[in-house]
Amino acid sequence: MIVILLALVGGFYGWRMAKKRGGNRLDKLQYAAVYLMAGTMLGLLLTVIIERLI
């Protein structure tokens, strides 16, 4: 659940970042994809850490 949530937040943040910088549709999609992947990796790391601690 954490992975999905952080992936969506990352994608939304990337889209907003590209929009703020004045990017076109493809720029927004690229930023969203990169931030979505970063959010997914962070969520996966947090999930593994939490599972190891419990």
Side-chain angles (χ1 to χ4, degrees), residues 3-52:
V3 176
I4 296 169
L5 178 66
L6 286 179
L8 292 176
V9 168
F12 178 72
Y13 183 74
W15 184 276
R16 286 193 41 177
M17 178 85 73
K19 185 176 180 181
K20 182 179 176 184
R21 293 183 180 187
N24 61 17
R25 184 176 48 105
L26 291 177
D27 291 332
K28 292 175 188 175
L29 286 173
Q30 183 178 8
Y31 269 71
V34 170
Y35 278 83
L36 185 132
M37 287 187 274
T40 302
M41 297 292 278
L42 181 62
L44 184 60
L45 179 67
L46 285 175
T47 301
V48 169
I49 290 172
I50 289 170
E51 286 295 322
R52 294 287 182 168

